[in-house]
Amino acid sequence: MLTAIKEIGEFIRKKGQDLLSVLVENPNDNGKYVKVITINLKNDASYEKIDLEQFDSQKIMKYLYRKGPSGNGPNITPTAKITEINKTFGKKVSGWFKILDDNKVNLSDEERSFLQKIKSTLENNENTILNSISQKLSLISKKEKAILTIKIDNKYLGDINIFKKLLVEIEFLKDRESISNNKNCSVCGNIANSVSGKVDVFKFYTVDKPGFITGGFNKSLAWKNFPVCQECKLSLEEGKKFIESKKYNFYGLGYYLIPKFFFNIDEQILDIIQYGIKSTSLQKRTINRITNDEEEILDILKEEKDYLTLNFLFLKKDRSAERILLFIEDVFPSRLKKIFDVKDKVDKTYNTDELFTFANIRYFFEKSDKKKKEYDLDRYFLEIIDSVFKNKKIALDFLIKFFIKKIREELITTEYPYRAIENSLKNIIFFENLGLISFKEEVVEMSQFEELFKKFGSAFESPLKRGLFLLGVLTEMLLRKQYADKRSKPFLKQLKSLKMDEKDIKALLPKVQNKFQEYDAFDEGKRKIASEISNYLLTAGDNWKLSVDEINFYFSCGMNKADEVASIIYSKKEALNGKENQQ
């Protein structure tokens, strides 16, 4: 991953990015810091006023923002995101001028005098400045945030040479806390004049905890853990900016796309990844999607040859920390094409306006309890997505456990679990056609519903599964008959909240038949279905090897397909008139 990011950054830098533009960060990278409060000083560094401005992305180099290595310490420059006013001003802005006490910082007498004047002005006017900042903040809506910076003689920090010079110098001084000479860089592999272990381009790597440092808590030895040369650090910085310029949505999560090229970097691919569907090369093009992000571009990238791979970085940011949720490495465009081809097959099988996406999978892997506020099944969901992209097997019983759980929940709360069942079947088709799940096929007698069973691949290539499926169909027809007559479904109690075992299932068929006979509705069509059920269950024998979850899953699938079975059993006229429910 780091090599790919470094190569992208290196490519961008060669196009003309200078050192300063690599180091300067966007303080509004999350889109929340839309205001800028400036402490305005006169040419002689005396205090003038406080101003409130709109954030301007064209002025990022002027704001000269770069976060510091510590959340509680000063930034690399006296520009900061406002959290608590006193802390931000005292530690991040006024506190920045403590560099005057650092003998390692190279300052001329004139530069030192200039900075000392600013420091004194900020300290002497602290109360006035804080009160004025508070007044400006009161004009901002609660949803908006602001950054705090300094202007001198109407010039931003990025217009003043001493601050640009110190940004570079302080950043490199920070890296020297852990440095070694003539060692191999872990990113490019070359021997460099100096390598540092204090490279904190990504916040999931730190030297502030003993476990991250080779040799214990001695930071001077951190270079052994992750030695990076200066050139690679700068390229990583620029590469990270590119990657983070476009974050794709993923059902409450988010991912960054990192392309890795085998040969020369394709600038058009970089443009597509960075700008999404807004890329000039994608104008007026219809794009198929498999996620909930309207700017998803995987459909475009699947058309590329396998001269590159795609890496998906699912990263969660929590304040100043970063945590990798999942890193899917080396996905070829040909694999994306396979995924989309199978998606199209699912869509053609169902032929509805609701197209298959990863939302059909997410549906089952959100919360273990719908009353919970937090999504606690993200880990399972991401593991499945990893399997989809990397062609890893998924345990069928694991999937069915979550499928039937959702089906049961909907049956209990609404009596209509059909959306959960439909999503389950779509997922089954998708996973099987990708080769991620498989079914043990058995010899089965041909059925008048053969075409319907074939829609679901090998899922019902078993006498027992077919018997359970058709019993679900017949039971659903009975429930519909009851609802048509009584506006209720008393027979639902017999299904035991879809926790039936082998004994319950074997007792269910005669109960369903008897009820139909009571209603004088056991017509020829239903007798045909019952006959097939009996035949399949007798063929299955005793001591079924399916779990209770599996038994009820295949049964519930039949409940969802009652209409399709009815259209086969009855004539079109009978089906339209609902004869199967009314007789």
Side-chain angles (χ1 to χ4, degrees):
M1 177 181 75
L2 292 179
T3 300
I5 294 174
K6 187 268 293 186
E7 288 174 352
I8 292 170
E10 198 171 56
F11 177 81
I12 296 171
R13 287 179 64 207
K14 286 179 180 178
K15 292 183 65 179
Q17 288 282 42
D18 60 24
L19 175 58
L20 204 62
S21 63
V22 173
L23 295 177
V24 170
E25 298 172 344
N26 179 6
N28 188 33
D29 57 350
N30 62 6
K32 295 180 180 179
Y33 289 84
V34 295
K35 301 293 183 182
V36 179
I37 294 177
T38 61
I39 303 171
N40 290 22
L41 306 182
K42 297 177 182 178
N43 189 42
D44 61 357
S46 60
Y47 176 69
E48 183 178 6
K49 61 179 179 177
I50 302 294
D51 271 343
L52 176 64
E53 304 175 355
Q54 191 72 22
F55 178 86
D56 185 349
S57 60
Q58 300 299 315
K59 293 181 178 178
I60 288 175
M61 293 302 297
K62 290 180 176 289
Y63 301 140
L64 208 68
Y65 171 79
R66 184 169 178 84
K67 193 177 184 305
S70 169
N72 293 321
N75 287 340
I76 305 299
T77 65
T79 295
K81 297 177 180 180
I82 297 177
T83 51
E84 297 177 41
I85 303 171
N86 289 357
K87 288 184 178 180
T88 301
F89 175 76
K91 292 184 177 181
K92 302 289 186 181
V93 179
S94 178
W96 178 86
F97 290 87
K98 290 181 180 179
I99 63 163
L100 292 168
D101 301 327
D102 190 343
N103 295 327
K104 296 178 183 178
V105 177
N106 183 26
L107 292 170
S108 67
D109 291 341
E110 183 181 357
E111 291 170 335
R112 187 174 292 276
S113 175
F114 175 63
L115 294 178
Q116 185 62 55
K117 287 180 182 178
I118 299 173
K119 180 175 184 288
S120 299
T121 296
L122 295 178
E123 290 174 348
N124 295 335
N125 294 274
E126 180 175 351
N127 290 335
T128 302
I129 291 171
L130 290 175
N131 289 333
S132 296
I133 292 173
S134 296
Q135 290 175 6
K136 296 300 182 183
L137 286 173
S138 68
L139 303 175
I140 302 174
S141 73
K142 293 182 179 180
K143 293 182 180 180
E144 296 177 330
K145 295 185 178 183
I147 64 170
L148 182 63
T149 189
I150 299 172
K151 288 175 74 174
I152 302 170
D153 194 23
N154 208 35
K155 294 178 181 178
Y156 293 92
L157 297 180
D159 297 322
I160 303 170
N161 288 332
I162 178 59
F163 292 103
K164 293 190 286 186
K165 167 193 165 183
L166 285 175
L167 187 159
V168 176
E169 186 168 340
I170 294 171
E171 177 63 24
F172 290 168
L173 278 173
K174 172 174 67 72
D175 293 345
R176 292 187 189 118
E177 288 184 28
S178 173
I179 197 169
S180 186
N181 299 321
N182 299 316
K183 296 293 190 298
N184 284 89
C185 170
S186 60
V187 179
C188 66
N190 298 324
I191 294 178
N193 289 334
S194 64
V195 293
S196 173
K198 199 72 168 58
V199 177
D200 52 359
V201 177
F202 292 96
K203 303 305 178 186
F204 48 78
Y205 168 78
T206 177
V207 295
D208 294 330
K209 295 180 176 63
F212 279 89
I213 304 177
T214 300
F217 204 62
N218 186 350
K219 290 187 180 182
S220 66
L221 298 177
W223 67 268
K224 293 183 178 181
N225 201 53
F226 185 36
V228 180
C229 68
Q230 197 61 56
E231 281 299 306
C232 282
K233 179 196 170 174
L234 295 173
S235 294
L236 283 171
E237 291 264 4
E238 194 60 37
K240 183 189 178 187
K241 284 184 186 178
F242 168 82
I243 298 303
E244 293 190 342
S245 66
K246 185 64 179 178
K247 186 176 185 179
Y248 292 92
N249 295 322
F250 201 82
Y251 307 103
L253 304 167
Y255 67 90
Y256 299 104
L257 263 181
I258 307 170
K260 184 177 180 180
F261 299 89
F262 294 149
F263 306 107
N264 296 327
I265 286 180
D266 187 331
E267 193 166 358
Q268 185 176 357
I269 296 296
L270 295 186
D271 183 72
I272 290 172
I273 289 176
Q274 186 172 22
Y275 298 106
I277 61 171
K278 296 176 184 177
S279 171
T280 53
S281 62
L282 301 184
Q283 290 181 357
K284 298 181 180 179
R285 178 165 175 176
T286 301
I287 300 176
N288 198 2
R289 293 188 290 118
I290 199 166
T291 71
N292 63 333
D293 191 340
E294 293 182 356
E295 297 198 4
E296 180 210 313
I297 54 168
L298 301 181
D299 184 42
I300 303 300
L301 297 175
K302 79 178 188 341
E303 302 300 331
E304 298 297 321
K305 301 295 183 184
D306 286 346
Y307 68 93
L308 81 158
T309 61
L310 295 165
N311 302 283
F312 297 76
L313 177 61
F314 289 82
L315 195 67
K316 184 176 182 179
K317 294 190 175 183
D318 185 9
R319 297 181 181 177
S320 60
E322 294 174 335
R323 181 162 58 93
I324 295 178
L325 299 178
L326 175 67
F327 180 56
I328 305 176
E329 192 173 12
D330 292 336
V331 178
F332 285 94
S334 57
R335 180 60 185 177
L336 291 181
K337 190 173 189 311
K338 172 71 173 176
I339 292 169
F340 275 91
D341 287 346
V342 172
K343 164 192 157 50
D344 291 342
K345 184 170 184 177
V346 177
D347 293 336
K348 288 175 182 176
T349 299
Y350 277 84
N351 194 26
T352 63
D353 292 335
E354 188 176 340
L355 302 179
F356 181 87
T357 67
F358 286 139
N360 297 86
I361 303 173
R362 181 61 157 167
Y363 181 79
F364 298 97
F365 297 94
E366 294 178 321
K367 302 175 182 178
S368 57
D369 185 337
K370 62 182 180 181
K371 294 179 181 179
K372 289 189 175 183
K373 292 182 179 180
E374 300 294 326
Y375 287 73
D376 61 341
L377 297 180
D378 287 346
R379 179 170 65 89
Y380 292 136
F381 176 56
L382 289 175
E383 284 176 359
I384 291 172
I385 297 304
D386 184 47
S387 295
V388 169
F389 281 117
K390 296 298 293 179
N391 195 24
K392 298 177 182 176
K393 294 289 184 181
I394 304 174
L396 180 60
D397 56 350
F398 168 80
L399 292 173
I400 288 179
K401 172 185 174 182
F402 285 91
F403 292 166
I404 194 63
K405 181 177 184 294
K406 192 77 169 180
I407 293 168
R408 285 168 180 153
E409 287 175 358
E410 292 192 4
L411 179 69
I412 292 170
T413 57
T414 68
E415 295 188 356
Y416 292 93
Y418 308 113
R419 179 173 174 79
I421 301 169
E422 195 82 342
N423 281 335
S424 300
L425 287 168
K426 286 183 177 181
N427 285 330
I428 289 289
I429 297 172
F430 181 71
F431 292 137
E432 186 186 13
N433 280 276
L434 277 177
L436 306 183
I437 60 174
S438 58
F439 299 89
K440 182 180 178 181
E441 296 186 37
E442 302 175 33
V443 177
V444 289
E445 186 177 324
M446 291 292 288
S447 167
Q448 57 190 315
F449 311 112
E450 199 67 32
E451 188 174 341
L452 173 59
F453 287 131
K454 292 299 182 186
K455 282 175 60 176
F456 306 107
S458 304
F460 297 99
E461 291 302 300
S462 153
L464 176 55
K465 292 175 185 177
R466 288 190 175 191
L468 292 168
F469 178 92
L470 292 174
L471 182 54
V473 170
L474 196 61
T475 304
E476 174 64 16
M477 288 179 172
L478 174 60
L479 293 172
R480 291 183 184 184
K481 173 63 179 173
Q482 286 189 330
Y483 190 78
D485 290 352
K486 303 180 179 181
R487 311 309 294 175
S488 64
K489 301 177 180 180
F491 196 78
L492 268 178
K493 294 179 182 178
Q494 299 292 332
L495 307 189
K496 296 186 175 181
S497 301
L498 292 179
K499 294 181 180 179
M500 298 176 288
D501 58 17
E502 179 179 342
K503 181 180 177 182
D504 297 323
I505 289 291
K506 287 179 175 178
L508 189 65
L509 178 58
K511 291 179 183 179
V512 173
Q513 292 178 177
N514 289 337
K515 277 295 176 185
F516 271 126
Q517 288 169 345
E518 287 178 18
Y519 297 142
D520 194 23
F522 199 42
D523 57 61
E524 183 181 353
K526 296 178 183 65
R527 285 196 295 272
K528 287 181 180 178
I529 298 172
S531 176
E532 283 215 15
I533 296 169
S534 297
N535 186 41
Y536 281 133
L537 293 185
L538 285 170
T539 303
D542 298 324
N543 300 318
W544 300 341
K545 293 182 180 179
L546 294 184
S547 67
V548 169
D549 283 349
E550 290 173 308
I551 288 171
N552 289 272
F553 172 71
Y554 292 111
F555 175 87
S556 66
C557 288
M559 293 178 67
N560 197 49
K561 293 301 172 184
D563 286 336
E564 292 187 46
V565 171
S567 68
I568 297 170
I569 285 290
Y570 298 98
S571 67
K572 288 185 178 179
K573 184 176 180 180
E574 288 174 324
L576 286 172
N577 292 332
K579 179 177 179 181
E580 72 279 10
N581 297 326
Q582 295 170 5
Q583 284 193 344

